[in-house]
Amino acid sequence: MAQNNKTSQKNDDNDYKDKYHKDNDHKNDDHKDNENSIKKIEISIEGMHCASCALNVETSINKLDGAKAEVDINTNKARVEYDPNSIEVSDIDKSVEDAGFSVRKSEVTLKIGGMHCANCVLNIEKALNNLDGVSKASVNLSSENAFVVYDKNLVSVDDMGQSIKDLGFDFLGIADQLDPDMDDKLYEKDIKDKKNRIIVGFVFSGILMGIMFTPHMVFEDIGISMSILSLIISIIPFGYVSYPIIKAGFNSLAHRNLDMDVMYTMGILVAFISSFLGTFNIVLDSSFMFYETAIMLASFLMLGRFLEARAKRKTSSSIKELIGLQPKTATLLVKDEKTSKSNENNELNENRELIENDEFIEKQILIEDISIDDLLLVRPGDKIPADSVVFSGNSYVDEAMITGEPIPKLKTKGEDVFAGTINQEGILRIKARKIGKETVLSQIIDLVEKAQSSKPPVQKIADKVVKYFIPTILTIAILSFIGWYFVIGSSLLLALTTFISVLVIACPCALGLATPTAVTVGIGRAAEYGILIKNGETLENAGNISVAAFDKTGTITEGKPVVDDIFIIDETESILKRNEVIKNTNGEWIVVDDPSVPGKPVNVEPLKNNAVNDVNIHRENESLKELNTEDIEKEVIKLLASLENNSNHPIAKAIVKKADELNINLESVNNFENVTGKGLKGEIFGKIVLAGNNSLLKDENIPDTENIVTYSNAQEKYNEFISQGKTTIFLVYDNHIKGIITLVDKIRDNSKRTIDELHKMNISTYMLTGDNEKTAKNVAESVGIDNVMANVLPNEKLDKVVEIQNQESFKQEKEGKLKKEIETIEGKIEGIKKNSKEVVFVGDGINDAPALSQANVGVALGSGTDIAMESGDIVLMEGNLENVVAAIQFSNKVMTRIKENIFWAFAYNIILIPVAAGVLYPFFGILFRPELAGLAMALSSVTVISLSLMLKNYIPPIKK
């Protein structure tokens, strides 16, 4: 018994071991599979500055299941191993963003050939977005471009091109690297090919229709049947006309794509094959003669594509005009060494820069060969070849293509000129500053191309419909055939006719073209006015604007303040006290240097006589004169300008400019500090100098250290200036208020009209400014702005925009305009999100960038900073404030046209598909012939494009 137990236990042990080994084998296999599926990638990260940053990124990525990262702060790269079965590259990108950093992305616009409908767009977008490293791919059917945001460490342009080719489309290359002339040649070749096929199709369709009406006795006389003759005449033309459609259809099937080419191919082939079978009485009889229908159907489809191609070409004419502005050659001025050597010592300045009276040799070069600092010659009528500064000469330059302003501007030495603008009458020598992709014109072209490739959110509706459109149409066509033939019992001819008609009349192309054509034409037209709209989402948001918020300085005002008042606190005492005139013990008048100035020895110099006013004492090339108000004012300007010279603020530049006008030499400043929103602080001659507002004085305890009467008088004068709407600045030297200076900033000529037009559009207005409330209200009242937010620090502008967005929602709630009352706190917050007002913020400075980003639509003035322009959703090249209204009007018009296009595209399909299926036949005997169905399909796309093209002539009401 014991032996049996041992044997039994041994068997159990063996079974356990077998099971253990099998389990282990499975685990090893799983481990090997996991090892094989692990991918390794390297991503570039922006924003890291220290080891702590790298650690934060590493920790964030490692939190993902199936990811392991090592971050190198020296290269700003992360090497990541991840399991693609668990996570995607987009998850890794998001984890980096969650850590407060960003993955460096590249952008490229690809040129694609062979797209015909919205399904083509969706298939390409899906394929590109599925590539590892592609963050976003947006395809524009109208321009036949794909705009792709990607990580070049993970995916290449070749990978994208191969993905496009795998779908059966033509990858033509990177859009901006293609020769524009080659693009024109390809277009002309394509149009000519389509035209030839259309002509052949309609000629032979006419011949076949003529045969149909020929008496039967004629065919008996020649010994050939009508059906055989029709086959002989039609077979070659049918193959020629329908070849591109049939090829595209089979290509789509080969790549498992169900698109309109497949539908059209089915319709054309059903018509021709049924005719062929009827000719030889195979299943069908001679009543099934569709030869002319098959050719005419293919001809109408080709006609639709011909008209569509021509119309689409017109939609992108604005971008081609911009590209056409770029000159191809330039005249380079090369110094003539023979002439220069003789006077080299005299005619080269100490920096060895070119000077105006050098002799030069002219040399024609390609635009690509221009280098920074090259000296170029521009004759009357020539285009400026690069963004440059005028070196010599003066002339009027037409900048309408950049700014939208029709009046040429006078350009003189030292002024900027831009590539693509046209020199009018004088000869200019210019020095190149920006070339190639860095020029303003190139950036405008790039921005417009990206915008035209984008989609407003409303397009999502059409995209969802298109996704299910073709399966639905195919189902309707099959059900139509079954219903007529098997259920109702109609003839096979009728059933086939409805089947073919449904296949060819359905048109997702109109849905696919409804948005991109309107966006392309609208954004291009806006660019002609110097209004650069960056994307489709901005178009939709701008059309819903109900609040407009403006920065004051440089936006409502010109941003070029000038010094107005200089008020001296004590006109009897010099501020600096650098010299004192006293009598010594011998009764002689002497000049004593102020010993309080660091590094200055006490110097006692006797005067030549006792009449101080009659003597000029020269010291460091400066004359000691009798004290007067003008001298003290200069001292005020000297101290303020010395301090302000360390700042780039428009107010600082105005004060420094005033010092230049008065020929005042500025002093060096130590321990300079910019106190945000309050003023400036520094040391001059070892004394603390303050330039700022009341807040700065309070921070520095000036009210406690200054004489109470002096402080009271200064405050009274300060408030008086403030009430006049002037920007007012205290000057404090050595803890004492020495003067007050005021500046005025002229309000832009078109500010009031802009605000008035916004009010007519039922848009409420706000103004944000760091100025005090009295100054702000004075400016706001003069232009008619509804609400003022004064004393706003630069870092508070973003919060103020958020406040406006939510404040307007609360205001709407108080007025009882909300559709339903929100009772709970959670419900109230959610209600604000849903009902919050769309706010446009208009600004021009670096400190406006966060507010521009936070607003629903940020409008950056082109006269502002590059950072503000980068943050803005809309850029106004000329800085013309009226263009804020024009941009909103453009957006409203384009969005209206998009909605009209989508409506007609839906209406066309909803109305005509049932007609093609024979719904009206039992009641009115109306039945669509397949060739007429093909014509209706072609006209639907052309109608949508034509409606979009009407935007080319749109003029915003404010510009009329």
Side-chain angles (χ1 to χ4, degrees):
M1 184 73 175
Q3 182 68 29
N4 288 338
N5 286 339
K6 286 180 181 179
T7 303
S8 175
Q9 186 173 349
K10 188 174 181 181
N11 289 335
D12 289 343
D13 288 343
N14 287 335
D15 289 343
Y16 173 78
K17 287 178 181 179
D18 289 342
K19 185 175 183 298
Y20 171 80
H21 286 301
K22 285 179 181 177
D23 288 345
N24 243 12
D25 289 342
H26 284 302
K27 287 179 180 177
N28 289 334
D29 288 342
D30 290 342
H31 181 67
K32 288 177 182 177
D33 289 342
N34 287 337
E35 282 187 340
N36 291 333
S37 68
I38 294 296
K39 285 189 176 183
K40 297 180 180 180
I41 60 172
E42 187 176 82
I43 57 177
S44 299
I45 299 173
E46 293 181 334
M48 295 192 301
H49 305 293
C50 61
S52 177
C53 299
L55 181 62
N56 289 336
V57 173
E58 201 170 281
T59 303
S60 183
I61 297 175
N62 288 335
K63 286 180 182 178
L64 297 172
D65 291 334
K68 182 182 178 183
E70 292 182 0
V71 180
D72 186 351
I73 186 63
N74 295 315
T75 60
N76 285 324
K77 290 184 178 180
R79 295 172 183 84
V80 185
E81 295 182 3
Y82 74 102
D83 182 0
N85 297 318
S86 302
I87 59 172
E88 297 179 351
V89 174
S90 58
D91 298 321
I92 298 172
D93 289 351
K94 188 175 185 306
S95 68
V96 173
E97 291 171 2
D98 290 342
F101 304 92
S102 59
V103 177
R104 185 177 296 122
K105 300 291 184 182
S106 300
E107 297 175 346
V108 67
T109 301
L110 309 177
K111 193 72 176 176
I112 302 171
M115 294 190 296
H116 302 297
C117 66
N119 287 89
C120 303
V121 171
L122 292 179
N123 290 331
I124 294 173
E125 284 182 346
K126 182 178 178 182
L128 292 175
N129 283 316
N130 283 339
L131 292 174
D132 283 343
V134 172
S135 300
K136 177 187 176 184
S138 178
V139 179
N140 186 305
L141 178 60
S142 175
S143 62
E144 297 185 320
N145 286 340
F147 176 68
V148 186
V149 180
Y150 69 105
D151 186 342
K152 63 183 179 182
N153 294 314
L154 304 180
V155 64
S156 67
V157 172
D158 290 338
D159 295 332
M160 299 176 209
Q162 190 59 50
S163 179
I164 292 168
K165 290 177 183 176
D166 289 344
L167 292 175
F169 300 98
D170 299 324
F171 172 59
L172 303 178
I174 299 174
D176 58 8
Q177 293 180 5
L178 297 176
D179 183 359
D181 294 336
M182 180 62 69
D183 186 42
D184 292 337
K185 289 176 183 176
L186 289 173
Y187 167 74
E188 293 297 335
K189 181 181 178 182
D190 180 57
I191 284 294
K192 185 178 180 181
D193 178 70
K194 285 183 170 66
K195 187 186 293 183
N196 290 338
R197 294 180 193 275
I198 291 166
I199 293 170
V200 169
F202 283 125
V203 167
F204 280 91
S205 295
I207 293 172
L208 289 169
M209 289 182 72
I211 291 174
M212 286 178 62
F213 292 102
T214 303
H216 286 279
M217 62 185 68
V218 174
F219 299 109
E220 291 175 0
D221 290 341
I222 62 176
I224 188 171
S225 67
M226 182 182 72
S227 56
I228 294 292
L229 181 61
S230 296
L231 173 62
I232 293 170
I233 292 174
S234 66
I235 190 165
I236 294 177
F238 173 77
Y240 175 68
V241 176
S242 62
Y243 173 74
I245 299 168
I246 294 173
K247 179 187 176 184
F250 278 102
N251 193 39
S252 297
L253 285 175
H255 293 93
R256 299 179 180 180
N257 295 325
L258 191 61
D259 57 20
M260 286 313 298
D261 285 321
V262 175
M263 307 286 279
Y264 299 152
T265 299
M266 289 175 63
I268 293 169
L269 289 180
V270 166
F272 191 84
I273 292 172
S274 62
S275 302
F276 181 84
L277 295 175
T279 299
F280 297 102
N281 292 313
I282 302 172
V283 181
L284 305 176
D285 58 35
S286 59
S287 63
F288 290 86
M289 287 295 106
F290 290 117
Y291 288 120
E292 84 290 347
T293 298
I295 295 179
M296 195 175 291
L297 178 56
S299 301
F300 275 127
L301 293 174
M302 195 58 63
L303 175 64
R305 292 187 178 179
F306 171 81
L307 295 174
E308 188 178 307
R310 288 186 60 180
K312 285 196 295 185
R313 184 75 169 183
K314 291 179 182 178
T315 64
S316 57
S317 61
S318 58
I319 195 71
K320 292 186 180 298
E321 288 170 5
L322 284 173
I323 293 172
L325 293 174
Q326 296 174 311
K328 296 183 179 180
T329 61
T331 303
L332 177 67
L333 294 176
V334 183
K335 189 179 290 187
D336 187 348
E337 295 297 332
K338 293 179 181 179
T339 307
S340 298
K341 281 181 181 178
S342 62
N343 53 14
E344 182 175 1
N345 293 332
N346 298 326
E347 296 189 356
L348 286 180
N349 62 21
E350 59 185 17
N351 294 320
R352 301 191 65 80
E353 294 177 341
L354 295 167
I355 58 177
E356 292 185 32
N357 57 352
D358 276 333
E359 296 294 332
F360 297 96
I361 300 173
E362 296 179 17
K363 181 180 178 183
Q364 290 294 317
I365 60 172
L366 293 174
I367 206 76
E368 294 84 4
D369 297 331
I370 297 176
S371 300
I372 300 294
D373 287 336
D374 274 354
L375 191 65
L376 306 167
L377 179 68
V378 186
R379 293 187 173 87
D382 287 352
K383 292 178 181 177
I384 305 294
D387 286 3
S388 311
V389 63
V390 176
F391 179 72
S392 66
N394 58 77
S395 177
Y396 283 93
V397 176
D398 181 2
E399 296 183 340
M401 58 290 299
I402 300 292
T403 65
E405 293 298 319
I407 301 173
K409 290 187 176 180
L410 178 64
K411 299 292 182 177
T412 57
K413 183 175 180 179
E415 295 195 62
D416 293 327
V417 289
F418 303 101
T421 56
I422 302 172
N423 184 26
Q424 296 288 292
E425 52 192 32
I427 293 178
L428 295 175
R429 287 180 178 181
I430 60 175
K431 188 179 280 191
R433 286 288 180 255
K434 291 182 180 179
I435 58 176
K437 291 291 181 185
E438 299 301 315
T439 64
V440 170
L441 178 60
S442 293
Q443 290 176 27
I444 290 173
I445 292 170
D446 184 53
L447 190 152
V448 173
E449 283 182 334
K450 288 178 185 176
Q452 290 179 337
S453 297
S454 64
K455 297 179 181 180
V458 72
Q459 174 66 16
K460 292 178 183 178
I461 300 171
D463 288 344
K464 286 180 181 178
V465 171
V466 167
K467 187 176 180 182
Y468 302 102
F469 186 85
I470 292 178
T472 302
I473 296 304
L474 190 56
T475 302
I476 292 172
I478 293 170
L479 289 175
S480 173
F481 179 85
I482 293 172
W484 282 111
Y485 188 68
F486 292 104
V487 178
I488 299 175
S490 297
S491 67
L492 182 59
L493 180 62
L494 177 63
L496 273 176
T497 300
T498 58
F499 177 75
I500 297 170
S501 295
V502 170
L503 287 180
V504 298
I505 203 169
C507 187
C509 304
L511 283 171
L513 291 166
T515 298
T517 53
V519 169
T520 299
V521 178
I523 286 177
R525 179 62 172 166
E528 293 176 17
Y529 283 89
I531 302 168
L532 306 183
I533 301 171
K534 289 189 176 181
N535 53 63
E537 186 175 356
T538 298
L539 273 174
E540 188 160 341
N541 289 339
N544 298 322
I545 290 299
S546 53
V547 181
F550 295 85
D551 176 48
K552 181 183 80 73
T553 305
T555 305
I556 296 296
T557 63
E558 292 183 349
K560 298 175 181 177
V562 292
V563 174
D564 191 26
D565 301 297
I566 303 173
F567 178 73
I568 309 301
I569 299 298
D570 187 350
E571 297 182 356
T572 64
E573 183 180 2
S574 171
I575 297 175
L576 300 179
K577 294 183 183 178
R578 294 188 59 179
N579 306 101
E580 290 187 7
V581 182
I582 62 173
K583 276 186 178 181
N584 63 10
T585 53
N586 297 325
E588 298 174 322
W589 288 99
I590 59 173
V591 178
V592 182
D593 279 358
D594 184 359
S596 65
V597 179
K600 297 287 184 182
V602 176
N603 175 35
V604 178
E605 182 180 352
L607 301 183
K608 294 178 180 178
N609 58 51
N610 292 338
V612 177
N613 294 336
D614 296 332
V615 180
N616 290 325
I617 304 297
H618 294 282
R619 177 184 174 278
E620 297 179 1
N621 300 322
E622 292 182 1
S623 299
L624 180 67
K625 301 177 182 178
E626 183 180 4
L627 188 66
N628 58 53
T629 303
E630 185 178 345
D631 290 332
I632 302 178
E633 286 182 354
K634 286 185 177 181
E635 288 182 341
V636 170
I637 294 295
K638 184 184 189 78
L639 287 171
L640 281 170
S642 298
L643 193 59
E644 299 281 1
N645 195 38
N646 296 277
S647 171
N648 288 320
H649 194 279
I651 288 176
K653 292 178 180 178
I655 295 173
V656 173
K657 183 180 179 182
K658 183 68 174 179
D660 290 341
E661 291 172 357
L662 298 174
N663 296 317
I664 296 174
N665 296 320
L666 304 185
E667 301 291 346
S668 60
V669 178
N670 297 319
N671 301 321
F672 175 80
E673 182 182 350
N674 187 338
V675 185
T676 305
K678 299 178 181 180
L680 306 177
K681 180 180 178 181
E683 289 183 14
I684 300 177
F685 305 135
K687 308 289 186 181
I688 293 177
V689 182
L690 306 176
N693 55 25
N694 257 327
S695 297
L696 181 64
L697 268 61
K698 290 176 183 176
D699 288 351
E700 298 296 324
N701 298 316
I702 300 303
D704 299 330
T705 59
E706 182 58 274
N707 177 280
I708 188 169
V709 175
T710 301
Y711 183 76
S712 177
N713 291 337
Q715 285 296 319
E716 183 180 346
K717 198 65 182 176
Y718 180 84
N719 292 330
E720 179 186 329
F721 286 137
I722 290 295
S723 66
Q724 296 170 9
K726 298 179 179 180
T727 299
T728 309
I729 298 172
F730 283 111
L731 168 67
V732 176
Y733 180 73
D734 194 18
N735 291 324
H736 294 288
I737 301 173
K738 296 298 184 180
I740 298 174
I741 189 172
T742 70
L743 300 97
V744 290
D745 189 1
K746 184 182 176 184
I747 294 173
R748 289 180 184 267
D749 294 335
N750 49 24
S751 291
K752 187 169 187 343
R753 187 182 179 212
T754 299
I755 302 302
D756 290 342
E757 289 294 326
L758 289 172
H759 287 157
K760 290 178 184 177
M761 299 164 69
N762 294 321
I763 295 175
S764 59
T765 52
Y766 283 76
M767 186 179 77
L768 279 61
T769 177
D771 286 345
N772 61 78
E773 193 163 345
K774 288 184 179 179
T775 301
K777 281 186 175 179
N778 189 290
V779 173
E781 287 172 3
S782 64
V783 296
I785 287 178
D786 304 320
N787 307 284
V788 176
M789 291 184 169
N791 299 309
V792 178
L793 297 177
N795 60 325
E796 295 175 343
K797 288 184 180 180
L798 184 148
D799 296 332
K800 292 298 180 183
V801 171
V802 174
E803 183 181 328
I804 292 170
Q805 288 169 325
N806 294 339
Q807 185 180 44
E808 286 295 316
S809 296
F810 281 123
K811 189 183 294 183
Q812 186 184 44
E813 181 182 6
K814 287 177 182 178
E815 292 171 358
K817 294 179 182 177
L818 287 178
K819 291 183 179 179
K820 58 181 180 179
E821 190 173 337
I822 305 169
E823 295 179 353
T824 63
I825 296 298
E826 293 82 3
K828 186 178 287 286
I829 293 170
E830 187 63 29
I832 290 170
K833 288 179 181 177
K834 289 181 179 178
N835 299 288
S836 62
K837 291 291 185 178
E838 299 280 325
V839 174
V840 58
F841 180 80
V842 187
D844 72 326
I846 292 175
N847 56 25
D848 293 328
L852 288 167
S853 299
Q854 170 62 33
N856 301 94
V857 177
V859 178
L861 301 187
S863 54
T865 64
D866 291 339
I867 294 176
M869 291 173 68
E870 183 67 27
S871 302
D873 301 303
I874 298 174
V875 177
L876 309 182
M877 292 305 299
E878 178 63 12
N880 184 345
L881 211 57
E882 286 182 0
N883 281 346
V884 174
V885 177
I888 295 173
Q889 291 171 341
F890 262 117
S891 299
N892 285 328
K893 188 66 176 179
V894 173
M895 288 308 302
T896 299
R897 188 52 43 87
I898 288 173
K899 290 171 184 176
E900 290 173 352
N901 286 349
I902 291 175
F903 168 78
W904 286 115
F906 273 116
Y908 161 83
N909 285 289
I910 291 170
I911 294 170
L912 293 188
I913 289 173
V915 175
V919 170
L920 298 180
Y921 185 72
F923 308 102
F924 307 102
I926 296 174
L927 190 67
F928 251 132
R929 287 183 59 83
E931 60 268 32
L932 295 179
L935 176 61
M937 183 283 303
L939 292 177
S940 67
S941 296
V942 174
T943 300
V944 165
I945 296 175
S946 298
L947 285 172
S948 295
L949 284 173
M950 290 172 68
L951 290 170
K952 285 180 68 67
N953 299 318
Y954 175 70
I955 300 174
I958 197 169
K959 294 293 184 179
K960 291 180 180 178

